[in-house]
Amino acid sequence: AVETVRRRAGVRPARAAARPEPAAADPRPPLPPAAARRLAMLLADRPGTGGGGRRGTAPDLMELLPQWLALANTRGFAAPPEALPALLDAARGRTDLRPAALTFAGPRALWLARLNPDWRFALRATPGGGADLPSPRETDRVRRLWQEGLFAERVALLTGIRAQEPVLARELLETTWPTERAEDRLMFLDSLRTGLRAEDEPFLEQALADRSRNVRATAAELLSALPGSALAARMADRAGACVAVDHTRDVPTLVVEAPHECDAGMERDGVVAKAPAGRGERSWWLGQLVEAAPLGSWSARFGGRTAEEIVALPVADDWQGELHAAWSRAAVRQREADWSRALLGAPSAPEAAGPGAVSLAERAKLLSTLEADERAEWVAGFIAAHGLSEAFQLLGVCAVPWSPVLGRAVVDALNIARDAGSYPWSFSGVMGLAERCLSPAEARRLEVLTATPEEQENASPGAGGYWSEAFQRLVTTLRLRAAMQEELTPR
């Protein structure tokens, strides 16, 4: 203690450092007190450090934080200043939280990030370190930032303008296109996906001759998403030369003659010549041609048949998987709901042997092209026919909260698995999704499932207790989500 006093007494006075500029004001309304307390509770929760074991009945609060942040941002509340350090720490550890967390944190988080190296990710994630981007009408500011800004600022500027004034964004990109680096050209070109239109075709056609293979491939992909483009027409001609209807058989059948070479014109239009390991070259080229051809061209080529009728045609010589998979990719790229429905087939079709999609992953992508209600009904039908073991990928593309019909299908399937005496950890992934995605209104209907069921003769030992805990946790989580929504409702 004496040494400490001596050391302090020997310190020479120095000029005080400059006081930091105050943080920018946040004009948004403050959180209601109950919601602020809930946020502190969610941020204080940390994932368990144990090596496994039973989760018990307590909700996983950290998994509810993304939902809470999304709701708070929708309601337009400002973050409590005292919660910002914990919020930035949470976003530092989970990159999936960062967009919503930084939106909620507002300008004060950027002020803090300049003072703490651990939070510098906030400055990198926010173009310009939080500086407001100019609007399309501020021509001088737009030109200056485009010419002089950092790469992240320029990407954000181009993306923002593209969402408001698509033509202006493309014209801005054209002014510096020849002098941009290849990796930058690729990122800039990708921003044209938003608001893609026929007027973009001349610029994209020029990009087909780019020095970078990745830039050429992206330009070709964008052009193929424009059914009226010249590239789409060229691809339709090439693909049409490979697939035809054979009327000489007992039943009209699709016959396939895959390309025998990948010529310079195909490569210029985005066809990758070298096949991946384990793929035949000809089938690889065929898939790329069919994927890039406008789906509407097949109806004209096949006598006016609808998408459903074309998909139902038998395909000779084991080409069905390759052909249908390429049509599936085309339906996703071109957002063609009729083709997606045809390729999905009935939900009751065998998991990997529907009339179109060759895998559940393909089906999940096709579902994303449908409206939310139709998507939910299809997945509910799939669960009713096949149970939950194959449904995880499909549930991941459904809108949250799940619609009543989908929620009932999931709960009914869980109840069937419980009555069968299966172990609940076989369904832990679906149970975790249900905690986050089921409508909170389902909590009352689920109460009856929280009781420990009688152990069946062939049931797994102890499964009843595990199921009881899992359903108690599910009900508790749903009630907690309902409380979160109530607390974030403006008074």
Side-chain angles (χ1 to χ4, degrees):
V2 172
E3 174 62 19
T4 300
V5 173
R6 187 198 68 76
R7 186 172 66 251
R8 288 177 176 172
V11 174
R12 294 180 178 181
R15 186 177 299 277
R19 178 178 297 179
E21 291 292 326
D26 193 335
R28 298 173 296 178
L31 275 177
R37 290 191 295 271
R38 182 72 64 191
L39 174 62
M41 182 191 304
L42 295 176
L43 290 172
D45 189 66
R46 290 291 180 269
T49 57
R54 297 169 81 143
R55 284 181 56 191
T57 61
D60 189 343
L61 299 183
M62 277 299 289
E63 289 304 313
L64 294 180
L65 183 57
Q67 202 167 105
W68 189 97
L69 288 170
L71 188 57
N73 287 332
T74 300
R75 303 282 165 85
F77 289 116
E82 66 273 14
L84 291 177
L87 184 61
L88 287 168
D89 280 341
R92 180 191 178 200
R94 283 183 57 176
T95 55
D96 62 306
L97 281 179
R98 290 182 183 178
L102 293 178
T103 298
F104 178 61
R108 290 190 178 117
L110 299 172
W111 184 86
L112 284 173
R114 295 186 183 97
L115 303 176
N116 185 345
D118 289 344
W119 299 333
R120 289 294 171 87
F121 69 86
L123 302 177
R124 295 192 299 270
T126 307
D132 290 334
L133 294 171
S135 72
R137 298 183 186 86
E138 298 176 280
T139 308
D140 291 340
R141 285 190 63 199
V142 167
R143 295 288 178 183
R144 185 165 59 252
L145 184 58
W146 181 248
Q147 296 287 346
E148 302 172 4
L150 300 174
F151 175 68
E153 294 172 326
R154 300 177 73 213
V155 170
L157 176 67
L158 189 65
T159 303
I161 294 178
R162 182 69 176 181
Q164 302 174 58
E165 300 283 350
V167 175
L168 179 60
R170 189 193 69 248
E171 291 174 347
L172 187 65
L173 179 56
E174 288 176 316
T175 61
T176 59
W177 180 259
T179 60
E180 303 287 357
R181 299 183 306 166
E183 54 268 32
D184 294 352
R185 293 199 303 276
L186 182 61
M187 289 289 290
F188 293 145
L189 192 64
D190 200 59
S191 70
L192 299 187
R193 294 181 190 277
T194 301
L196 187 64
R197 57 189 58 213
E199 292 84 351
D200 297 326
E201 183 179 357
F203 174 70
L204 294 173
E205 276 284 344
Q206 291 179 7
L208 289 176
D210 196 88
R211 301 184 301 275
S212 166
R213 184 179 68 181
N214 290 334
V215 171
R216 295 196 302 270
T218 301
E221 181 185 345
L222 292 173
L223 283 167
S224 68
L226 291 171
S229 69
L231 179 139
R234 295 193 296 269
M235 288 300 201
D237 289 341
R238 292 176 180 129
C242 298
V243 185
V245 179
D246 184 355
H247 292 282
T248 64
R249 306 189 183 213
D250 294 338
V251 177
T253 301
L254 294 178
V255 291
V256 175
E257 180 67 25
H260 290 269
E261 64 173 345
C262 181
D263 58 35
M266 289 167 60
E267 289 196 61
R268 181 184 180 275
D269 284 345
V271 176
V272 178
K274 185 175 176 57
R279 288 288 303 273
E281 282 186 333
R282 296 181 64 197
S283 64
W284 170 245
W285 300 330
L286 173 74
Q288 293 179 79
L289 296 180
V290 173
E291 177 183 352
L295 289 167
S297 66
W298 296 106
S299 179
R301 194 173 293 275
F302 295 155
R305 288 181 171 89
T306 64
E308 187 174 2
E309 291 169 338
I310 293 172
V311 169
L313 289 172
V315 184
D317 301 327
D318 296 325
W319 281 104
Q320 176 172 315
E322 188 70 51
L323 186 60
H324 284 186
W327 276 335
S328 295
R329 296 192 297 271
V332 173
R333 180 186 295 186
Q334 298 171 32
R335 313 304 294 176
E336 286 282 356
D338 287 344
W339 276 84
S340 292
R341 294 186 191 99
L343 291 158
L344 279 165
S348 57
E351 294 90 331
V358 296
S359 68
L360 286 170
E362 289 281 353
R363 286 185 166 192
K365 293 176 183 176
L366 290 168
L367 282 167
S368 69
T369 68
L370 305 181
E371 295 294 331
D373 289 345
E374 185 179 0
R375 202 182 315 163
E377 289 184 13
W378 196 95
V379 176
F382 181 92
I383 292 170
H386 306 292
L388 289 170
S389 58
E390 302 291 340
F392 187 80
Q393 292 181 76
L394 306 179
L395 287 169
V397 299
C398 293
V400 177
W402 289 336
S403 69
V405 65
L406 179 56
R408 284 193 296 272
V410 172
V411 171
D412 290 346
L414 287 171
N415 193 17
I416 290 171
R418 167 182 174 267
D419 290 344
S422 305
Y423 273 127
W425 52 75
S426 301
F427 304 92
S428 59
V430 173
M431 196 60 98
L433 274 179
E435 291 173 18
R436 299 189 295 276
C437 303
L438 265 178
S439 170
E442 295 285 337
R444 180 173 298 179
R445 194 166 73 88
L446 289 167
E447 284 180 350
V448 68
L449 301 179
T450 60
T452 303
E454 294 184 8
E455 196 160 300
Q456 303 294 324
E457 182 178 349
N458 297 323
S460 303
Y466 281 94
W467 276 110
S468 176
E469 286 184 2
F471 278 115
Q472 288 179 50
R473 183 173 61 252
L474 177 56
V475 170
T476 304
T477 302
L478 294 179
R479 287 178 174 155
L480 178 56
R481 286 175 49 211
M484 285 165 37
Q485 293 177 10
E486 177 66 23
E487 292 161 358
L488 283 167
T489 301
R491 303 299 179 188

